[in-house]
Amino acid sequence: MSFPARRPRRLRTTPAMRRLSAELVMAPQQLILPAFVREGLTEPNPITSMPGVVQHTMDTLKAAAAEAVTLGLGGIMLFGIPETRDATGSAGVDPAGILNRGIEAVRAEVGDELVIMSDVCLDEFTDHGHCGVLDAAGNVDNDATLEIYGRMAVAQAEAGAHMLGPSGMMDGQVAVIRQALDDAGHQDVSILAYAAKYASAFYGPFREAVDSQLKGDRRTYQMDASNRREAMIEVELDLAEGADMVMVKPAMSYLDVLADVAAMSPVPVSAYQISGEYAMIEAAAANGWIDRRAAITESVLGIRRAGADTVLTYWASELAQWLKEGK
């Protein structure tokens, strides 16, 4: 059937008709809020390159988590920023370290009403800013890093995390973390694997958010932006090692990869709308070049349409509020 019998515009005639015929609907439970807690703060510290996002105190972190519950968000992903760093990122495995205390505080605040997720990576905790420990030649030592990831994962589970997010892109990280969790009696703690994480220019504002000490780049362990098929290898490995969910990061520039992963994955798929994606839209909106609310909504909808079951986005709480208002 073709024109004039077929007129696709019939299903676009009114807002009600467009709602009825929408192929995809967004809901608050599909959104995950990334949140930063910094040691030593007495007031929230605004992140200049990410307007509206802050480094939290413990109290404001708990308030953000409580708000997330009220708004019906799916989860919160926690990152910690310590006062003191060293070569091995020891603050990351310390039960009294800022991230583990943050997890503990959020779990006490919201219990099981929100999925509490935490970042299993050393970059926030090392004085060199890499996601793993360095060998004598200054290269990231994959296998030595895995042993630390295992201890870090157990510490986070014991602090109260429901789901762990290994983001360092070390080979074998999911298997080592799964084994460490099981050996410590945390069989019910799940893993959201950063399975296809690319080396990206769009991480810039995040480096400010976590006060990164990195000199150089992470291209020897994060994926190359040229590679699409390689992502399937990374995802398949993480699935074989026991990942309960998998993630593509960044989202915007990798929607093709996200669609590929969603088409083959037997487990839920997430995508991370990263700091640079956030900063670009905020900057354009601040200059009056785009409609802020419409652009935010469309950007997250595009990630969902490409295949993400859940989206990590710094707009999670604000977008959830809009969705509730819309209803």
Side-chain angles (χ1 to χ4, degrees):
M1 192 182 343
S2 60
F3 178 84
R6 186 67 166 160
R7 292 179 181 265
R9 287 182 58 188
R10 291 187 189 115
L11 296 183
R12 304 171 197 154
T13 52
T14 66
M17 186 69 76
R18 293 191 291 275
R19 286 196 302 272
L20 175 69
S21 58
E23 298 175 25
L24 189 71
V25 176
M26 286 199 297
Q29 66 265 28
Q30 299 158 352
L31 305 174
I32 299 164
L33 176 67
F36 309 99
V37 58
R38 181 162 191 164
E39 195 168 26
L41 291 183
T42 57
E43 297 290 337
N45 183 40
I47 299 167
T48 57
S49 56
M50 300 175 68
V53 181
V54 302
Q55 295 170 335
H56 284 287
T57 68
M58 203 65 74
D59 286 341
T60 63
L61 177 68
K62 291 189 293 182
E67 180 187 45
V69 172
T70 301
L71 292 170
L73 295 187
I76 188 169
M77 176 66 80
L78 303 180
F79 299 86
I81 306 156
E83 284 188 305
T84 304
R85 296 174 166 94
D86 59 29
T88 61
S90 60
V93 299
D94 183 355
I98 183 62
L99 178 54
N100 293 321
R101 287 191 286 118
I103 296 166
E104 194 172 53
V106 170
R107 184 65 183 267
E109 183 74 18
V110 303
D112 295 332
E113 295 301 307
L114 181 70
V115 179
I116 301 166
M117 308 174 179
S118 52
D119 182 52
V120 183
C121 193
L122 293 178
D123 60 317
E124 297 105 287
F125 302 100
T126 55
D127 55 13
H128 47 73
H130 277 290
C131 297
V133 294
L134 305 182
D135 62 19
N139 300 312
V140 174
D141 188 326
N142 190 97
D143 295 7
T145 298
L146 294 181
E147 187 274 331
I148 300 173
Y149 280 4
R151 290 190 284 124
M152 192 175 187
V154 171
Q156 293 180 8
E158 293 181 349
H162 297 102
M163 179 176 286
L164 305 185
S167 63
M169 289 300 287
M170 297 297 117
D171 293 340
Q173 63 184 12
V174 173
V176 167
I177 289 170
R178 181 73 271 159
Q179 189 64 55
L181 290 171
D182 291 353
D183 288 348
H186 296 293
Q187 290 88 350
D188 289 339
V189 173
S190 54
I191 297 175
L192 167 56
Y194 286 62
K197 181 178 179 181
Y198 286 80
S200 173
F202 294 103
Y203 294 138
F206 183 89
R207 305 279 163 80
E208 179 193 352
V210 298
D211 188 26
S212 175
Q213 306 300 299
L214 182 68
K215 303 294 189 294
D217 58 50
R218 298 175 176 143
R219 295 183 181 277
T220 64
Y221 44 102
Q222 293 177 352
M223 290 180 61
D224 189 283
S226 302
N227 296 354
R228 180 175 179 174
R229 293 190 301 271
E230 186 186 18
M232 299 303 102
I233 298 173
E234 290 283 6
V235 172
E236 288 168 355
L237 285 168
D238 282 358
L239 290 170
E241 291 174 19
D244 300 288
M245 297 174 63
V246 293
M247 184 197 298
V248 174
K249 181 182 181 182
M252 174 188 69
S253 301
Y254 299 89
L255 295 180
D256 57 336
V257 175
L258 175 57
D260 290 347
V261 172
M264 60 78 73
S265 176
V267 302
V269 176
S270 190
Y272 199 142
Q273 185 178 48
I274 65 169
S275 60
E277 301 173 56
Y278 177 95
M280 288 192 300
I281 290 176
E282 288 288 351
N287 279 282
W289 298 334
I290 58 175
D291 180 313
R292 180 178 180 273
R293 178 166 174 167
I296 291 169
T297 303
E298 183 178 335
S299 69
V300 177
L301 183 63
I303 297 166
R304 286 273 294 117
R305 190 183 62 246
D309 299 295
T310 55
V311 180
L312 288 89
T313 174
Y314 299 99
W315 290 301
S317 295
E318 189 172 14
L319 184 53
Q321 185 63 51
W322 295 343
L323 292 170
K324 284 180 173 289
E325 291 169 359
K327 291 181 180 178

PDB file of all heavy atoms in Angstrom, residues 65-96:
ATOM      1  N   ALA A  65      20.101  10.733  47.320  1.00  0.00           N
ATOM      2  CA  ALA A  65      19.612   9.358  47.239  1.00  0.00           C
ATOM      3  C   ALA A  65      18.147   9.274  47.665  1.00  0.00           C
ATOM      4  O   ALA A  65      17.337   8.573  47.043  1.00  0.00           O
ATOM      5  CB  ALA A  65      20.477   8.439  48.104  1.00  0.00           C
ATOM      6  N   ALA A  66      17.808   9.992  48.727  1.00  0.00           N
ATOM      7  CA  ALA A  66      16.417  10.008  49.188  1.00  0.00           C
ATOM      8  C   ALA A  66      15.498  10.598  48.125  1.00  0.00           C
ATOM      9  O   ALA A  66      14.389  10.106  47.884  1.00  0.00           O
ATOM     10  CB  ALA A  66      16.305  10.785  50.497  1.00  0.00           C
ATOM     11  N   GLU A  67      15.966  11.670  47.472  1.00  0.00           N
ATOM     12  CA  GLU A  67      15.179  12.265  46.385  1.00  0.00           C
ATOM     13  C   GLU A  67      15.016  11.280  45.235  1.00  0.00           C
ATOM     14  O   GLU A  67      13.940  11.186  44.626  1.00  0.00           O
ATOM     15  CB  GLU A  67      15.851  13.549  45.889  1.00  0.00           C
ATOM     16  CG  GLU A  67      15.082  14.221  44.766  1.00  0.00           C
ATOM     17  CD  GLU A  67      15.825  15.394  44.150  1.00  0.00           C
ATOM     18  OE1 GLU A  67      17.035  15.275  43.887  1.00  0.00           O
ATOM     19  OE2 GLU A  67      15.172  16.440  43.923  1.00  0.00           O
ATOM     20  N   ALA A  68      16.071  10.521  44.940  1.00  0.00           N
ATOM     21  CA  ALA A  68      16.001   9.536  43.868  1.00  0.00           C
ATOM     22  C   ALA A  68      14.919   8.493  44.146  1.00  0.00           C
ATOM     23  O   ALA A  68      14.213   8.044  43.239  1.00  0.00           O
ATOM     24  CB  ALA A  68      17.362   8.857  43.694  1.00  0.00           C
ATOM     25  N   VAL A  69      14.786   8.097  45.400  1.00  0.00           N
ATOM     26  CA  VAL A  69      13.733   7.161  45.780  1.00  0.00           C
ATOM     27  C   VAL A  69      12.361   7.788  45.539  1.00  0.00           C
ATOM     28  O   VAL A  69      11.464   7.176  44.939  1.00  0.00           O
ATOM     29  CB  VAL A  69      13.877   6.740  47.260  1.00  0.00           C
ATOM     30  CG1 VAL A  69      12.662   5.930  47.703  1.00  0.00           C
ATOM     31  CG2 VAL A  69      15.145   5.930  47.458  1.00  0.00           C
ATOM     32  N   THR A  70      12.197   9.025  45.992  1.00  0.00           N
ATOM     33  CA  THR A  70      10.918   9.729  45.822  1.00  0.00           C
ATOM     34  C   THR A  70      10.538   9.848  44.355  1.00  0.00           C
ATOM     35  O   THR A  70       9.361   9.720  43.988  1.00  0.00           O
ATOM     36  CB  THR A  70      10.998  11.128  46.454  1.00  0.00           C
ATOM     37  OG1 THR A  70      11.301  10.995  47.850  1.00  0.00           O
ATOM     38  CG2 THR A  70       9.691  11.886  46.289  1.00  0.00           C
ATOM     39  N   LEU A  71      11.530  10.077  43.516  1.00  0.00           N
ATOM     40  CA  LEU A  71      11.286  10.250  42.080  1.00  0.00           C
ATOM     41  C   LEU A  71      11.135   8.928  41.340  1.00  0.00           C
ATOM     42  O   LEU A  71      10.764   8.920  40.165  1.00  0.00           O
ATOM     43  CB  LEU A  71      12.437  11.052  41.456  1.00  0.00           C
ATOM     44  CG  LEU A  71      12.535  12.512  41.884  1.00  0.00           C
ATOM     45  CD1 LEU A  71      13.844  13.126  41.409  1.00  0.00           C
ATOM     46  CD2 LEU A  71      11.350  13.313  41.339  1.00  0.00           C
ATOM     47  N   GLY A  72      11.445   7.814  42.000  1.00  0.00           N
ATOM     48  CA  GLY A  72      11.298   6.508  41.372  1.00  0.00           C
ATOM     49  C   GLY A  72      12.439   6.102  40.475  1.00  0.00           C
ATOM     50  O   GLY A  72      12.264   5.259  39.583  1.00  0.00           O
ATOM     51  N   LEU A  73      13.640   6.683  40.673  1.00  0.00           N
ATOM     52  CA  LEU A  73      14.782   6.310  39.847  1.00  0.00           C
ATOM     53  C   LEU A  73      15.131   4.836  40.036  1.00  0.00           C
ATOM     54  O   LEU A  73      14.863   4.239  41.085  1.00  0.00           O
ATOM     55  CB  LEU A  73      16.009   7.161  40.184  1.00  0.00           C
ATOM     56  CG  LEU A  73      15.933   8.663  39.902  1.00  0.00           C
ATOM     57  CD1 LEU A  73      17.298   9.299  40.138  1.00  0.00           C
ATOM     58  CD2 LEU A  73      15.456   8.947  38.490  1.00  0.00           C
ATOM     59  N   GLY A  74      15.805   4.286  39.020  1.00  0.00           N
ATOM     60  CA  GLY A  74      16.204   2.893  39.111  1.00  0.00           C
ATOM     61  C   GLY A  74      17.389   2.672  40.025  1.00  0.00           C
ATOM     62  O   GLY A  74      17.467   1.655  40.720  1.00  0.00           O
ATOM     63  N   GLY A  75      18.333   3.601  40.026  1.00  0.00           N
ATOM     64  CA  GLY A  75      19.532   3.393  40.829  1.00  0.00           C
ATOM     65  C   GLY A  75      20.350   4.655  40.965  1.00  0.00           C
ATOM     66  O   GLY A  75      20.051   5.697  40.365  1.00  0.00           O
ATOM     67  N   ILE A  76      21.405   4.548  41.771  1.00  0.00           N
ATOM     68  CA  ILE A  76      22.386   5.608  41.941  1.00  0.00           C
ATOM     69  C   ILE A  76      23.765   4.976  41.843  1.00  0.00           C
ATOM     70  O   ILE A  76      23.999   3.908  42.405  1.00  0.00           O
ATOM     71  CB  ILE A  76      22.187   6.341  43.288  1.00  0.00           C
ATOM     72  CG1 ILE A  76      23.087   7.575  43.390  1.00  0.00           C
ATOM     73  CG2 ILE A  76      22.387   5.404  44.479  1.00  0.00           C
ATOM     74  CD1 ILE A  76      22.739   8.484  44.578  1.00  0.00           C
ATOM     75  N   MET A  77      24.658   5.568  41.066  1.00  0.00           N
ATOM     76  CA  MET A  77      26.026   5.074  40.886  1.00  0.00           C
ATOM     77  C   MET A  77      26.974   6.005  41.620  1.00  0.00           C
ATOM     78  O   MET A  77      27.067   7.193  41.302  1.00  0.00           O
ATOM     79  CB  MET A  77      26.398   4.997  39.407  1.00  0.00           C
ATOM     80  CG  MET A  77      27.836   4.575  39.123  1.00  0.00           C
ATOM     81  SD  MET A  77      28.241   2.872  39.592  1.00  0.00           S
ATOM     82  CE  MET A  77      27.549   1.964  38.170  1.00  0.00           C
ATOM     83  N   LEU A  78      27.689   5.473  42.600  1.00  0.00           N
ATOM     84  CA  LEU A  78      28.512   6.295  43.483  1.00  0.00           C
ATOM     85  C   LEU A  78      29.986   6.281  43.089  1.00  0.00           C
ATOM     86  O   LEU A  78      30.551   5.230  42.769  1.00  0.00           O
ATOM     87  CB  LEU A  78      28.366   5.811  44.923  1.00  0.00           C
ATOM     88  CG  LEU A  78      26.932   5.800  45.482  1.00  0.00           C
ATOM     89  CD1 LEU A  78      26.938   5.287  46.920  1.00  0.00           C
ATOM     90  CD2 LEU A  78      26.302   7.185  45.408  1.00  0.00           C
ATOM     91  N   PHE A  79      30.592   7.461  43.158  1.00  0.00           N
ATOM     92  CA  PHE A  79      32.019   7.653  42.942  1.00  0.00           C
ATOM     93  C   PHE A  79      32.579   8.411  44.149  1.00  0.00           C
ATOM     94  O   PHE A  79      31.948   9.358  44.632  1.00  0.00           O
ATOM     95  CB  PHE A  79      32.282   8.473  41.672  1.00  0.00           C
ATOM     96  CG  PHE A  79      31.766   7.850  40.409  1.00  0.00           C
ATOM     97  CD1 PHE A  79      30.451   8.053  40.011  1.00  0.00           C
ATOM     98  CD2 PHE A  79      32.589   7.052  39.623  1.00  0.00           C
ATOM     99  CE1 PHE A  79      29.965   7.476  38.842  1.00  0.00           C
ATOM    100  CE2 PHE A  79      32.114   6.477  38.458  1.00  0.00           C
ATOM    101  CZ  PHE A  79      30.802   6.678  38.062  1.00  0.00           C
ATOM    102  N   GLY A  80      33.747   8.018  44.614  1.00  0.00           N
ATOM    103  CA  GLY A  80      34.352   8.660  45.764  1.00  0.00           C
ATOM    104  C   GLY A  80      35.617   9.416  45.411  1.00  0.00           C
ATOM    105  O   GLY A  80      36.396   8.976  44.552  1.00  0.00           O
ATOM    106  N   ILE A  81      35.840  10.536  46.094  1.00  0.00           N
ATOM    107  CA  ILE A  81      37.028  11.365  45.854  1.00  0.00           C
ATOM    108  C   ILE A  81      37.746  11.541  47.191  1.00  0.00           C
ATOM    109  O   ILE A  81      37.269  12.258  48.073  1.00  0.00           O
ATOM    110  CB  ILE A  81      36.628  12.739  45.284  1.00  0.00           C
ATOM    111  CG1 ILE A  81      35.746  12.559  44.037  1.00  0.00           C
ATOM    112  CG2 ILE A  81      37.875  13.560  44.941  1.00  0.00           C
ATOM    113  CD1 ILE A  81      34.854  13.730  43.744  1.00  0.00           C
ATOM    114  N   PRO A  82      38.887  10.885  47.358  1.00  0.00           N
ATOM    115  CA  PRO A  82      39.573  10.917  48.654  1.00  0.00           C
ATOM    116  C   PRO A  82      40.421  12.169  48.830  1.00  0.00           C
ATOM    117  O   PRO A  82      40.764  12.851  47.865  1.00  0.00           O
ATOM    118  CB  PRO A  82      40.460   9.675  48.597  1.00  0.00           C
ATOM    119  CG  PRO A  82      40.826   9.582  47.142  1.00  0.00           C
ATOM    120  CD  PRO A  82      39.594  10.032  46.386  1.00  0.00           C
ATOM    121  N   GLU A  83      40.785  12.454  50.070  1.00  0.00           N
ATOM    122  CA  GLU A  83      41.708  13.558  50.345  1.00  0.00           C
ATOM    123  C   GLU A  83      43.141  13.170  50.027  1.00  0.00           C
ATOM    124  O   GLU A  83      43.945  13.991  49.601  1.00  0.00           O
ATOM    125  CB  GLU A  83      41.602  13.966  51.824  1.00  0.00           C
ATOM    126  CG  GLU A  83      40.365  14.768  52.150  1.00  0.00           C
ATOM    127  CD  GLU A  83      40.387  15.320  53.560  1.00  0.00           C
ATOM    128  OE1 GLU A  83      40.545  14.535  54.517  1.00  0.00           O
ATOM    129  OE2 GLU A  83      40.250  16.548  53.716  1.00  0.00           O
ATOM    130  N   THR A  84      43.477  11.892  50.241  1.00  0.00           N
ATOM    131  CA  THR A  84      44.848  11.418  50.061  1.00  0.00           C
ATOM    132  C   THR A  84      44.877  10.273  49.061  1.00  0.00           C
ATOM    133  O   THR A  84      44.067   9.353  49.146  1.00  0.00           O
ATOM    134  CB  THR A  84      45.441  10.942  51.407  1.00  0.00           C
ATOM    135  OG1 THR A  84      45.355  12.004  52.350  1.00  0.00           O
ATOM    136  CG2 THR A  84      46.882  10.519  51.230  1.00  0.00           C
ATOM    137  N   ARG A  85      45.817  10.355  48.124  1.00  0.00           N
ATOM    138  CA  ARG A  85      45.967   9.311  47.113  1.00  0.00           C
ATOM    139  C   ARG A  85      47.363   8.702  47.217  1.00  0.00           C
ATOM    140  O   ARG A  85      48.292   9.334  47.704  1.00  0.00           O
ATOM    141  CB  ARG A  85      45.762   9.901  45.714  1.00  0.00           C
ATOM    142  CG  ARG A  85      44.365  10.441  45.440  1.00  0.00           C
ATOM    143  CD  ARG A  85      44.334  11.121  44.086  1.00  0.00           C
ATOM    144  NE  ARG A  85      42.983  11.368  43.616  1.00  0.00           N
ATOM    145  CZ  ARG A  85      42.313  12.486  43.800  1.00  0.00           C
ATOM    146  NH1 ARG A  85      42.878  13.492  44.474  1.00  0.00           N
ATOM    147  NH2 ARG A  85      41.085  12.619  43.329  1.00  0.00           N
ATOM    148  N   ASP A  86      47.498   7.474  46.699  1.00  0.00           N
ATOM    149  CA  ASP A  86      48.818   6.850  46.621  1.00  0.00           C
ATOM    150  C   ASP A  86      48.903   6.003  45.365  1.00  0.00           C
ATOM    151  O   ASP A  86      47.952   5.936  44.578  1.00  0.00           O
ATOM    152  CB  ASP A  86      49.128   6.032  47.888  1.00  0.00           C
ATOM    153  CG  ASP A  86      48.113   4.927  48.146  1.00  0.00           C
ATOM    154  OD1 ASP A  86      47.519   4.405  47.181  1.00  0.00           O
ATOM    155  OD2 ASP A  86      47.919   4.562  49.325  1.00  0.00           O
ATOM    156  N   ALA A  87      50.030   5.338  45.169  1.00  0.00           N
ATOM    157  CA  ALA A  87      50.292   4.626  43.918  1.00  0.00           C
ATOM    158  C   ALA A  87      49.380   3.427  43.705  1.00  0.00           C
ATOM    159  O   ALA A  87      49.139   3.022  42.568  1.00  0.00           O
ATOM    160  CB  ALA A  87      51.757   4.191  43.864  1.00  0.00           C
ATOM    161  N   THR A  88      48.868   2.855  44.790  1.00  0.00           N
ATOM    162  CA  THR A  88      48.037   1.654  44.671  1.00  0.00           C
ATOM    163  C   THR A  88      46.558   1.923  44.916  1.00  0.00           C
ATOM    164  O   THR A  88      45.748   0.994  44.885  1.00  0.00           O
ATOM    165  CB  THR A  88      48.519   0.566  45.656  1.00  0.00           C
ATOM    166  OG1 THR A  88      48.395   1.062  46.997  1.00  0.00           O
ATOM    167  CG2 THR A  88      49.958   0.181  45.367  1.00  0.00           C
ATOM    168  N   GLY A  89      46.192   3.164  45.172  1.00  0.00           N
ATOM    169  CA  GLY A  89      44.790   3.488  45.394  1.00  0.00           C
ATOM    170  C   GLY A  89      44.224   2.854  46.653  1.00  0.00           C
ATOM    171  O   GLY A  89      43.071   2.406  46.666  1.00  0.00           O
ATOM    172  N   SER A  90      45.004   2.846  47.719  1.00  0.00           N
ATOM    173  CA  SER A  90      44.624   2.117  48.924  1.00  0.00           C
ATOM    174  C   SER A  90      43.339   2.632  49.565  1.00  0.00           C
ATOM    175  O   SER A  90      42.633   1.874  50.250  1.00  0.00           O
ATOM    176  CB  SER A  90      45.771   2.142  49.941  1.00  0.00           C
ATOM    177  OG  SER A  90      46.096   3.473  50.308  1.00  0.00           O
ATOM    178  N   ALA A  91      43.000   3.904  49.346  1.00  0.00           N
ATOM    179  CA  ALA A  91      41.754   4.427  49.910  1.00  0.00           C
ATOM    180  C   ALA A  91      40.535   3.734  49.322  1.00  0.00           C
ATOM    181  O   ALA A  91      39.456   3.737  49.931  1.00  0.00           O
ATOM    182  CB  ALA A  91      41.671   5.939  49.676  1.00  0.00           C
ATOM    183  N   GLY A  92      40.711   3.125  48.162  1.00  0.00           N
ATOM    184  CA  GLY A  92      39.584   2.439  47.530  1.00  0.00           C
ATOM    185  C   GLY A  92      39.224   1.122  48.195  1.00  0.00           C
ATOM    186  O   GLY A  92      38.084   0.669  48.087  1.00  0.00           O
ATOM    187  N   VAL A  93      40.178   0.497  48.869  1.00  0.00           N
ATOM    188  CA  VAL A  93      39.899  -0.779  49.538  1.00  0.00           C
ATOM    189  C   VAL A  93      39.704  -0.594  51.044  1.00  0.00           C
ATOM    190  O   VAL A  93      39.299  -1.533  51.736  1.00  0.00           O
ATOM    191  CB  VAL A  93      41.013  -1.811  49.273  1.00  0.00           C
ATOM    192  CG1 VAL A  93      41.132  -2.103  47.792  1.00  0.00           C
ATOM    193  CG2 VAL A  93      42.349  -1.328  49.819  1.00  0.00           C
ATOM    194  N   ASP A  94      39.972   0.570  51.553  1.00  0.00           N
ATOM    195  CA  ASP A  94      39.828   0.859  52.974  1.00  0.00           C
ATOM    196  C   ASP A  94      38.343   0.933  53.340  1.00  0.00           C
ATOM    197  O   ASP A  94      37.606   1.746  52.778  1.00  0.00           O
ATOM    198  CB  ASP A  94      40.508   2.197  53.284  1.00  0.00           C
ATOM    199  CG  ASP A  94      40.483   2.563  54.752  1.00  0.00           C
ATOM    200  OD1 ASP A  94      39.859   1.831  55.555  1.00  0.00           O
ATOM    201  OD2 ASP A  94      41.080   3.604  55.109  1.00  0.00           O
ATOM    202  N   PRO A  95      37.871   0.106  54.268  1.00  0.00           N
ATOM    203  CA  PRO A  95      36.460   0.182  54.675  1.00  0.00           C
ATOM    204  C   PRO A  95      36.062   1.567  55.162  1.00  0.00           C
ATOM    205  O   PRO A  95      34.883   1.949  55.074  1.00  0.00           O
ATOM    206  CB  PRO A  95      36.363  -0.860  55.793  1.00  0.00           C
ATOM    207  CG  PRO A  95      37.478  -1.808  55.535  1.00  0.00           C
ATOM    208  CD  PRO A  95      38.585  -0.973  54.964  1.00  0.00           C
ATOM    209  N   ALA A  96      37.033   2.336  55.665  1.00  0.00           N
ATOM    210  CA  ALA A  96      36.756   3.687  56.132  1.00  0.00           C
ATOM    211  C   ALA A  96      37.016   4.728  55.052  1.00  0.00           C
ATOM    212  O   ALA A  96      36.969   5.937  55.321  1.00  0.00           O
ATOM    213  CB  ALA A  96      37.604   4.001  57.367  1.00  0.00           C
TER     214      ALA A  96
END
